[in-house]
Amino acid sequence: MVSRSYSNLLELATGESPSFGRINRQIPRIVTVAGLISDVDNDPSESVSSEPSSSSTSRDRIIIVANELPIRAHRISGNGGATTNWTFSWDENSLLLQLKDGLGDDDFEVFYVGCLKEDIHPNEQDEVSQILLETFKCVPTFLTQDLYTRYYHGFCKQQLWPLFHYMLPLSPDLGGRFNRPLWQAYVKVNKIFADKIMEVINPEDDFVWIHDYHLMVLPTFLRKRFNRVKLGFFLHSPFPSSEIYRTLPIREELLRALLNSDLIGFHTFDYARHFLSCCSRMFGLTYESKRGYIGIEYYGRTISIKILPVGIHMGQLQSVLSLGKTEEKVSEVIKQFRDRDRIMLLGVDDMDIFKGISLKLLAMEQLLMTHPEWEGKVVLVQIANPARGRGKDVKEVRDEMKATVRRINDTFGRPGYEPIVLIEEPLKFYERIAYYTVAECCLVTAVRDGMNLIPYEYIVSRQGNDKLDKLMGWESSAPKKSMLVLSEFIGCSPSLSGAIRVNPWNIDAVADAMECALEMADAEKQLRHEKHFRYVSTHDVGYWARSFLQDLERTCRDHVRQRCWGIGFGLSFRVVALDLNFRKLAMEHIISTYKRTKSRAILLDYDGTLMPQASIDKGPTSKCLETLDTLCRDKKNTVFIVSAKTRKTLAEWFGPCEKLSIAAEHGYFIRLKQDEEWETSLPVADCCWKQIVQPVMKLYTETTDGSTIEDRETALGWCYEDADPDFGSCQAKELLDHLESVLANEPVTVKSGQSIVEVKPQGVSKGLVAKRLLSAMQDKGTPADFVLCIGDDRSDEDMFKVISSSMAGPSVAPRAEIFACTVGKKPSKAKYYLDDPSEIARLMHGLASVSRPNVPPYPSPS
């Protein structure tokens, strides 16, 4: 299906009716604006198909959004300089273009939204937009130079990027202090991107995939406009630990914006774990892993977490290896090093403060000092790619690097030998590949890096091909070998288990790793290389892109089965998504039903339902007791409090309500009225299992600050609501496994609830109370025609299940009104919800006013 907004934009650009066609696989290398003649031959094989194709409308459309388009723009002057025009070509080194090629044209139609690297004059922007849309399916986002500087070089590079790499602005010289005007520029640019996406999106069908930290608030703008948009976000940088992230003044805005995505991707589990920790500590959100998928429940939506490192484009790299100029450069590098009996170590890094270039140089110096036998034999070639950002820190890194190189070469160099060869001029890709091919070992000593694909490129280059094997003097059938020394703080490190992993700050350890790589036996190098190449070749960029989009499609599958609406203002906006049959309990509806019914069953949980979970004083208020007493005195009502608390506690708290029925310890003990004896719902339990459980719970209490043990007559509970949320949750999972193991042969169940791990007799559940109440009313000849059940956690789901299924049986009146209601908008067996205990209190008061009309009005919420 073609988006109406897309066709409108195209008509606006061309002045003609739109025609849609597949982009031919062979895109022209150069495209011109304003009728300039391209310097590429007019070859029909390089033309763009203009014939409509039915296949283009049957493929999934993906809108890929990133800071920069995968386009190279070149300004051309014509007519003696009187006019200026542009030529455009694909940037083959762009991950976004490689991603598209990895997906293939048969299944996906890809559009791009992003900025151009060049500044386009406003008078030329319409023409540029037209040619990019028609030929490359790219939608350029034009920003003024001042806005782009404040957004990219200001907020992104001076504030977000350092913090995400663990650099706190403890002083003005260490990263950028938070600057609100720069933050406002960041938000403004994200809004401009959203407006551009809205021009081309078909919100019901299209997938949107946003890339990296430059556009972290973009999901909020899109979700606000289209509640059901299919939205994925992948973070290519590290995500810092919660202690670092929470120093951001706009931490909640960024985190809520990310949670407006359907799928959030990270390179490593560490990055995902830090993100989940922030969600837990800041918003109290928990995650679950089901069948290998990690999900966060957020206002009824499930946000999936994807952990998968990006790969390289194998086809592109292998094609570059086959180029004649690559062979020529390899020959040149061989003559420079191997033919002089030099063993080449290689470092390839961007010029920035986190790449650890100076640490690598110091390790090389240490190697030569401690192992003088390598002097004159080993050379470290350091390729320093141009810096992406600006600032004093870049100059300081460059100056330190040059000074260190000069000192080492002066100390250990001699005529015809320099231990360090520094290459600062920008290298073409094939030139870099040539250095990879010849290098015996590749070193990456970054102190923090999101992914870093340099090791992947090195491994594939060392695999080579027949022609390069001949140049290198290798037999084509012989096993290849390579060695990697990798910082443990980079994203690719967990994937390359055969590498020698180092702490880059430990200069001695890095030097020892370099010595180990040089001395290692060829057979061991071959085994490590084979293992790495197998991984890199199967986990390429296409595998990564397809896997991400498959998970995005799976996550968005339930969109059509949900009712969605937005709440919150500005960047606090989020979407509430509920099942089509799940709705808020309307006060007017339930009160009118209450008035006309004659046999009512009311079941109420206590903690988190009648009383807020976080209350320090857990006892009921006088207002609560008065309301319950009024409801109990109505002869048409049977009112049950169903709680995990002990019968002694509940009897003391609800003493004023003489006719209130109480179910204690999840329904094990039941008392129908105050003047009656307590009964048990099951045979009297043998609690000798407590002797096993108590020492285990005591151990976890001693090691988990803020946790306590609740000792009940038939149950034990380990509560951790006052403990550190991350540590408490971790300990609870461990305790659950521990108890299930030691209690395998005992007649008990171990369950995890809201900030509690409980052990109770088998068969005990709140559902038994609901079943018993409905059966008792039926036996008396007054089957319930009104059933209201309210609860807030997993243990209450048993009651919801019983009363909901009772509609199909004889335990209630034929046309009974059933109201199963949970607290808060969350997945539940209940059909209704109320927001919080205060709304439940107002509801109970409203019902009480029907039972006794002279009840004073309930105070309005402030």
Side-chain angles (χ1 to χ4, degrees), residues 263-311:
L263 176 65
I264 306 172
F266 300 94
H267 286 305
T268 72
F269 175 69
D270 274 351
Y271 304 161
R273 178 169 56 85
H274 295 156
F275 173 78
L276 293 169
S277 177
C278 288
C279 292
S280 171
R281 291 174 179 274
M282 291 169 57
F283 300 143
L285 302 178
T286 57
Y287 70 91
E288 286 188 355
S289 182
K290 294 180 181 177
R291 297 184 179 180
Y293 297 108
I294 299 174
I296 305 173
E297 291 296 328
Y298 184 61
Y299 289 90
R301 294 172 53 242
T302 299
I303 296 102
S304 294
I305 304 300
K306 178 77 172 175
I307 302 166
L308 184 66
V310 70

Side-chain angles (χ1 to χ4, degrees), residues 185-310:
Y186 180 84
V187 174
K188 183 176 181 179
V189 169
N190 276 247
K191 177 67 168 62
I192 292 171
F193 269 80
D195 292 340
K196 283 294 180 183
I197 295 167
M198 289 172 194
E199 292 177 359
V200 295
I201 190 172
N202 179 357
E204 296 298 321
D205 299 321
D206 294 350
F207 293 92
V208 180
W209 187 356
I210 302 170
H211 290 263
D212 224 2
Y213 63 94
H214 315 93
L215 301 169
M216 288 179 73
V217 299
L218 179 54
T220 290
F221 291 120
L222 292 179
R223 186 70 63 189
K224 192 170 187 177
R225 180 64 180 85
F226 307 117
N227 289 171
R228 289 189 178 87
V229 66
K230 301 170 184 176
L231 182 56
F233 181 95
F234 198 93
L235 185 67
H236 293 270
S237 78
F239 194 94
S241 66
S242 65
E243 290 78 11
I244 299 291
Y245 178 81
R246 286 184 290 135
T247 63
L248 262 179
I250 39 83
R251 60 188 189 179
E252 290 193 8
E253 290 88 335
L254 286 182
L255 202 60
R256 286 199 188 280
L258 287 180
L259 290 170
N260 276 321
S261 306
D262 293 299
L263 176 65
I264 306 172
F266 300 94
H267 286 305
T268 72
F269 175 69
D270 274 351
Y271 304 161
R273 178 169 56 85
H274 295 156
F275 173 78
L276 293 169
S277 177
C278 288
C279 292
S280 171
R281 291 174 179 274
M282 291 169 57
F283 300 143
L285 302 178
T286 57
Y287 70 91
E288 286 188 355
S289 182
K290 294 180 181 177
R291 297 184 179 180
Y293 297 108
I294 299 174
I296 305 173
E297 291 296 328
Y298 184 61
Y299 289 90
R301 294 172 53 242
T302 299
I303 296 102
S304 294
I305 304 300
K306 178 77 172 175
I307 302 166
L308 184 66
V310 70

